Each structure stands twice: as structure tokens, then as C-alpha cells.
Amino acid sequence: MGESTMGESTMGKLTVGNDQFLYDGKPIRILSGAIHYFRVVPQYWEDRLRKLKACGFNTVETYIPWNLHEPRPRKFCFEGGLDITKFIKIAQDLGLFVIVRPGPYICAEWELGGLPAWLLKDPSMQLRCSYKPYLDAVDRYFDKLMEKLVPLQSTKGGPIIAMQIENEYGSYGNDREYLKHLERGLRSRGVDVLLFTSDGACDSMLQGGTLPHVFKTVNFGSRPREQFNKLREFQPDGPLMCTEYWNGWFEHWGEQHHTRDSEDVAKVLDEMLAIGASVNFYMFHGGTNFGFMNGANCMEEYQPTVTSYDYDAPLTEWGDPTPKYYAIRDVIKKYVDVPDIPIEVMPKKAYGSVKLYEHVKLFDSLDDIGRKFESPVPLPMEALDQSYGFILYRTFIAGPRDEAPLIIEDLHDRALVFIDGKFKGVMHRNDKQPSINIRVPREGISLDILVENMGRVNYGPYLADRKGITKGVRIGQQYIYNWTIYTLEMDNLESLKFVEKTSCEFPCFFRGEFEVDEPCDTFLKLSGWTKCVCYINGFNLGRYWKIGPQQALYVPGPLLKKGKNELIVFELEGMQEPVVEFTDKPSL
């Protein structure tokens, strides 16, 4: 079984044989790698896809993030970095097949697993099941999405050979009517390519995550024979496929950077190919969780994912081939002819230190960048039509009061507490009972609670992860009412009024400019800073936190421009001096 490619006008169909895939009746082995277009600037799509082809792969796989394509109800976006049609056509021009995983849920260590946060405005929302308001929203989204995807199917001359129904559903639920609804919805909208499911190779997941007549695949990182044997218990014949071969891993803030030995990855791949299986590398190229799009895990405790999605993949976050890349290619060469395609290593440049002379306090900017609400109780973001960023809760507490704990119930996720504008401490949702002791003098106090949404849970039973203060605030046993709330999405900072001063109270925005002679990839190193969000020319690069492991943010060259460039850093807690460094070396 060898590599198949597809010309622009070729029409064909992937089908399931007794023990192998067939494309127009001819045997084919799928050698696929995951590249998420939404984690890569569009100027680099062709480069990453070309490197996939040069490694010996014949297929690219991608998720599709609903939350980006429908950021507000009925407001759709398929332009710029979200031009899925363009990404798929580039793949086709390179002779690659495409596997699409449209969700609606994608996991992917992505914010809320790709589900839009506005779903959670409904206090009764039930995700990933036959709850009608959820299904209605899915149907509306699929109406728009399939308009883009259906014409790109292989049966219509495009490169899409297969689509996934939901995603690892067996690790979440067992609502077969929900899966049937999705299947019917895809077919009724014109999808006629192979449909499949993928789940972990265990009984509960394979029972709950698929339908009897739907083609099944499994996801794993090792022991392929054992995993495929479990699949055979549920699917006695047909080709074997690992839809997610975990050849690396992601990381949470405060962990060590994960790596996996290249020889081990190559060995497991060889085992799969030797038994005739097909494979999709998750990830082939991870990319970046730009903006506020990182997800989080929440089992025993809440663990948000870092900005980098390098994943220790064959291609680095910045697109360079690794020893793992070449080890994989050597294995693939044993089974198929690998094309001799030259690949480019993108140049990196160190632009040096940049001083951020201008700044402005967050508390002086609330009316410039926020929306203001009055409420008797502290409301979560979703109730106020806010999806991402920060939310500020403000109230006045009359005195006198003896010292007592200030308690935030169901805090999601991390709060900075200020009394009369002065920082008093941090509370976190992982605290057993987030609290700070305060005493209220006779004249009373002004209380501010700034809460950061650090990423909604993307996997497991706690997906309905509303952000901000999700229950109430107490002093001792007494609930505190009557709040002014500012929603701070921080998606547009153009209204900030920066000034040059010698000092600034935190949280604070810092601004500086720097010259670029030639735009190249670079890395923003933030030594001495604590916890911040960084913007290059208005583009949100993502979060930094000194606890690591990530110590520098990747800056793709296309985000820079020749001449003057702007950097804004929103620092929450403090830094040694308002200076950053653009270096040519990553730091994961």
C-alpha cells in the first residue's frame, strides 16, 4: 500500500475494505499529521504543509474551532486566519488529502474544547448531548460550516476524504441520540465522504463514543497491538487506524516541559505500519494558543495550559524540523516512496531590548476598555455576554467590622483583591476556600476583585466552566450585595490613554515601540515580569507567567512590520523594570 495524492480536478472516495482503506477501489494507507490552521499564522500554512509532505505524509488532519468561527451568536467568521477554505486548498495544491474533525466539540487543549462560551449564558445549558437549545446552536453553526466544507469533499473534486463525528465522545458521555443527530445533520447537509469516530481503546469509551454502523478508530501513544486488539473487539474487520498518535504532550503552567524520545516515537510508528495500520500524528505541528485560547484540565485540581502548543511535535512551535521529524521520515521511507521536497528553516532574529516607557493603570482605564453593569449580585462573565479576558467586581462595604475572612464562593479562576485601591492578596479556585482576612474601619472600604479567566476546561466532566465569581462573596457569614461590574475582554486596547511616568500601580498596561529592519520570527523574553498578557501591533500573543515552564512567547515574523512596531504588556502584579527582550532563542 503506497502513498496516494490528488490533483485539483480528481474526484474519488475513501471507502473501508476488509482490512484496508480503498480510494476509488485501490488500496491506500493514510499517513496523516495534525496541523491546526487556527494555531498557525496563515502566512505559514503552506510552509507547514509542505514540511508535512516532505516527511512522507499524504494527509493533513485538522480540528475546526466553533468558538472562533461563531464568536457571537449568529456572527460568523471564515476570513484571514480562519479561512478554512484557503487552508484546505493549499493542502490540495500540495497533493495532500485532508481529514476534518468539525466537532462541534474538539478538546484540543483549546478553550472550552472549541465550544463557544456564549452557550453558557443559558443557566440550564447541557453540553454535548440532546439538550435542544444546544442542538439548535450546533445546527445553526453546521449550516454555515458545511457550506464551506461540502464543496471541498473528494467526491466533488476536493481533498477532504473523511470527517469525524464529535470527538472522543466516549470519554464524556453515551448519548447515542446525540451522535445520531450529528450524523444525520452531516449527511443531510451534503457530507458524503467517510464518517468516523475516535476514542480511547477501552470498553467504556468504545461503548459510549460511537454508533454500531460508524467506522471506529482509536487514540493512543504506545502499545499499538494491545490498543488495536481492543478495537477489534468492537470492530472485527476493516482497516486499523490510530487517529491520535500522541508522539508528544502539552503542558500546564508550573509543570516541566514534556519531551518524548525520538527513537521511541519511531519504534511505535514502525510497529503500527508493520501491521498495516494507518496513523494520524497528534501533533505533527502544534503551533500556539494565541490570545486567551488555551484550555485547562480539571480533575483533582484546575490546571490551565500554557500559551505554547509546541507539544514536542516533529515540527517545533516555530516550524523547525526536529530529530523526531527525521526519525519519523526514516521509518516512513521503509513503507512508501518519500518525495524529495526542499524545506525552509525560517530565519530568527534578535531585536534586542525594548523599554516600555509609557503606561496607564487598569483602574484608570475601566471606562475606556470595559463595559459597566450594576447588579445586586456578582455575575459570571457569560451572564454579561463576555467570553474571555478579565472581569472586575467593585463594591463599598460600610464599617466598622471586626476582622473576618473575605470569601469568594466558586471562584473561576484567579482573583486579585484590592482594598481602597491597594493590593491585598491573591485567591485561586484551587484554594480550599478562597479567602483573605480583612478589617473594615468605621469609614468603610472600597473593595475591588479582579478575576482572570485563565482558560475554560476543555476535557472531562467539568466543561460547563463559567468564569468570574460564579456564586457569591461573603464577609464571614454575610453575603455582600450591590456590585458594579466591568467586563474586560481586552480584545481592543486602542482607547488606552498612555502617559510617561516614573512609576505605576498594578495592574498596569505598559507600551513601547521598537524598530524592525527585516520582519523575522523572534521570541519575546519576559525576565523579571510576573504574570502578563502581551500584544504585538494589536495582536494578542498570549499569556506569560513566571512559574513557567514557558519563559518566552513565540512571535511569528508576519506579525511584525518593517519600521516601527508597538508592544503592549498588561502586567498584573509587578516587574523588576519595564524592559523586555526580543531574542532569537525559544525558552520552553
Side-chain angles (χ1 to χ4, degrees), residues 13 153 182-195:
K13 188 165 186 176
Q153 296 178 105
L182 296 179
E183 181 193 18
R184 288 193 301 267
L186 292 171
R187 292 301 190 205
S188 67
R189 291 174 176 87
V191 175
D192 58 6
V193 295
L194 178 70
L195 295 181

Side-chain angles (χ1 to χ4, degrees), residues 323-368:
K324 189 180 291 185
Y325 177 97
Y326 295 106
I328 291 165
R329 189 177 67 174
D330 287 344
V331 171
I332 292 176
K333 281 181 176 179
K334 293 170 57 177
Y335 297 89
V336 299
D337 294 329
V338 174
D340 185 13
I341 299 175
I343 59 175
E344 178 184 2
V345 175
M346 297 294 181
K348 286 83 180 170
K349 202 155 188 181
Y351 296 106
S353 297
V354 177
K355 292 186 177 180
L356 286 73
Y357 287 111
E358 300 177 358
H359 53 256
V360 61
K361 289 169 53 179
L362 171 67
F363 289 169
D364 291 341
S365 308
L366 298 176
D367 292 323
D368 295 325

Side-chain angles (χ1 to χ4, degrees), residues 518-538:
E518 179 187 8
C520 293
D521 286 1
T522 188
F523 301 89
L524 177 59
K525 197 168 184 180
L526 292 142
S527 301
W529 297 74
T530 304
K531 195 172 195 306
C532 54
V533 183
C534 302
Y535 299 78
I536 289 278
N537 296 324

